[in-house]
Amino acid sequence: MDKSFNISINLLPKQEAEVLARQRRFKRLQLYGTIIIAILFFLVSVTFGLAIIQNTRLKQAESGLDQAKNELEQFKSKEASLLVLKDRVKEISRVKSEPSKSSLMFAMISELLYPSISLSIINVDKNSNANLVLTSANIEDLDNFLNDLLDKQKNESLVSSVTVDNFSRGKDGTYRVALKLKGG
């Protein structure tokens, strides 16, 4: 037979078209699946990357928090010291602004004391009671000093009573007097 005259008859044209259509659908499905898997891989990689970044930031934040806690502990001890100092300053201001009776008593005695009278010993307690030991050659100044101590206007109502504990005269003519003053 002649080679140029070959006729081929396809008896299954419908099935071949169906097979080709199935193959095209399978290749499309493979392409879409590969794209979806690539996208999922990308998303998983980004998620892990973000998790690692957040983990490092979290560790840095925790170390910063620990450092801040340590600084805060240091400030707490300083705060306690500061509160104690503040209370002491308030107390000093209160004492300074409100003179005590004992300091008023001491100032009053110093003010009433005559130049001819020597004050050997003075003890003033917190209740404004005072013990005095005086020496003087002038008996009149001693008498005037005692009268001034008993005068309510001159003693500013700080002395309620005066007790002579000891009174003596030495060979040299000086008088020694021990007094007890009771605060008023």
Side-chain angles (χ1 to χ4, degrees), residues 44-145:
V44 168
S45 299
V46 168
T47 304
F48 279 122
L50 290 175
I52 290 171
I53 290 171
Q54 285 180 345
N55 196 13
T56 56
R57 286 184 182 171
L58 183 63
K59 286 181 182 178
Q60 288 173 349
E62 285 176 350
S63 68
L65 180 63
D66 291 340
Q67 184 179 1
K69 283 181 182 178
N70 291 337
E71 289 176 3
L72 183 63
E73 289 299 321
Q74 291 174 354
F75 288 134
K76 281 186 179 181
S77 65
K78 289 179 182 178
E79 180 184 20
S81 299
L82 185 63
L83 287 175
V84 168
L85 288 174
K86 190 176 181 182
D87 288 342
R88 287 182 182 170
V89 166
K90 280 183 184 177
E91 186 64 23
I92 289 170
S93 296
R94 186 190 63 78
V95 167
K96 190 176 179 183
S97 67
E98 300 172 13
S100 65
K101 284 187 175 183
S102 57
S103 66
L104 291 173
M105 174 71 87
F106 183 79
M108 185 267 309
I109 291 170
S110 298
E111 192 175 301
L112 293 179
L113 203 60
Y114 287 84
S116 64
I117 301 173
S118 293
L119 184 62
S120 301
I121 297 173
I122 182 168
N123 292 324
V124 181
D125 64 13
K126 65 180 179 178
N127 296 326
S128 73
N129 296 322
N131 295 320
L132 306 173
V133 176
L134 308 167
T135 58
S136 177
N138 189 342
I139 192 70
E140 291 175 10
D141 285 346
L142 277 174
D143 186 42
N144 290 335
F145 178 67

